[in-house]
Amino acid sequence: MRVESEAQLAEAVRDAGGALAVRGGGTRPVGRCLGEPLEVGISGITLYEPGALTLVVGAGTPLAEVEAAIAAEGQRLPFEPADWGPVLGAPGTSTVGGVVAANVSGPRRVQAGACRDSLIGTRFVDGRGQIVKNGGRVMKNVTGYDLVKLMAGSWGTLGVMSEVAFKLLPAAPSQATVVIDLPAGAAQVALAAALGSPFDVSGAGWLPGIGAVVRVEGLAESVAYRAEQLRKLMEPFGPVRIEEDGSAAIWASLRDLEPFIGKDGDLWRLSVKPSEASEIVARLGGEVLLDWGGGLIWALLPEGSDARALASPYTGHATCMRGAAGVTFEPEPAPIATLTTALRAQFDPKGILNPGRMG
């Protein structure tokens, strides 16, 4: 079943006789998704005001279409969303609603915040088939209970989004990447030093075959100065170079997990305390990518591996993004699970929206 308007979406949910498996472009098939497929095709840019740095868009709008439209005005989504379709083996089209539902946030999160931090408004249909509006179309109108933040990362279990509104940022005219030749297990200390510097780092990670990478963005003269200062700061950690022409490709590779595309194995995503990253990487084995200064670890492990058991003890949570893990998402502590259950009972009393998705 495909819906192309908010009214159709509300009717479909209201008249549903059982569970619904909500999907946008089908590029994030994470977890068990039970029920009749409900594809959200509500597409198009509803409002775009470059002067106000605000965008309102249908949830089913392709991400690439949105990025092209705002790039033409010299703007960008601050949180640098990834396209997980290729690495997850899901040949669909990434949509804006899917990005919000999974709170997809790329390397720039260390500077600009997560997807939910750029989200200023949303319209969605709850499990009763009621249309709910929260937030606003401009930043000054965001009032009331902050359901906007609640919807980001809910994986479609609280409501089916029909429209989202974002605050935008101007695109940086220049960027450079400082590359440090380090193994993954030794990268976090260097990345922490870079992030703790006054040089406004917009990305800090590690890639196989490249090493630790630190990005700066902005006006060309500022970028050149900060990159050189970071190069000097990183010298005690290992051989250092500054990459300018290939900088954008490095971060696209890290953002979209290109080193793992087409490779067999289970793919895990661990959001952890950055200071624990080195020890966790050593315990995991396998192939890894690091982002967010070591706070995000992507691990490609042999099929059937339990990354939670291998990585323990750790502070954070681990999600099996691709594989046969019994429990995809990290089991919640009892107090949080109680809150989650109560929220779902309020927003989806019949339990029809993506049941099993978060289990």
Side-chain angles (χ1 to χ4, degrees), residues 86-110:
V87 78
L88 296 181
T93 300
S94 180
T95 64
V96 173
V99 166
V100 174
N103 192 33
V104 178
S105 311
R108 201 175 291 113
R109 180 178 183 172
V110 297

Side-chain angles (χ1 to χ4, degrees), residues 62-103:
L63 175 63
E65 180 181 323
V66 169
E67 291 184 318
I70 62 178
E73 297 291 337
Q75 297 178 352
R76 66 187 181 190
L77 293 167
F79 52 93
E80 200 172 2
D83 181 0
W84 292 340
V87 78
L88 296 181
T93 300
S94 180
T95 64
V96 173
V99 166
V100 174
N103 192 33

Side-chain angles (χ1 to χ4, degrees), residues 288-299:
V288 299
L289 303 177
L290 303 183
D291 204 348
W292 306 348
L296 179 63
I297 301 172
W298 291 93

Side-chain angles (χ1 to χ4, degrees), residues 5 73 75 94 98 117 183 264 330 337 357:
S5 72
E73 297 291 337
Q75 297 178 352
S94 180
D117 298 305
D264 294 334
E330 183 91 15
R357 187 68 188 262

Side-chain angles (χ1 to χ4, degrees), residues 155-179:
W155 290 89
T157 60
L158 300 178
V160 186
M161 282 175 283
S162 57
E163 181 182 271
V164 292
F166 294 106
K167 62 179 179 182
L168 307 174
L169 284 179
S174 182
Q175 67 170 272
T177 297
V178 178
V179 181

Side-chain angles (χ1 to χ4, degrees), residues 5 32 37 43 86 101-102 110 118 146 160-161 191 221 242 246 256 263 289 304-305 315 320 325 333 338 349:
S5 72
R32 296 173 296 151
S43 183
V110 297
S118 294
D146 205 357
V160 186
M161 282 175 283
L191 298 178
E221 289 185 4
I242 297 175
D256 295 337
K263 291 188 175 181
L289 303 177
S305 297
T315 305
C320 184
T338 299

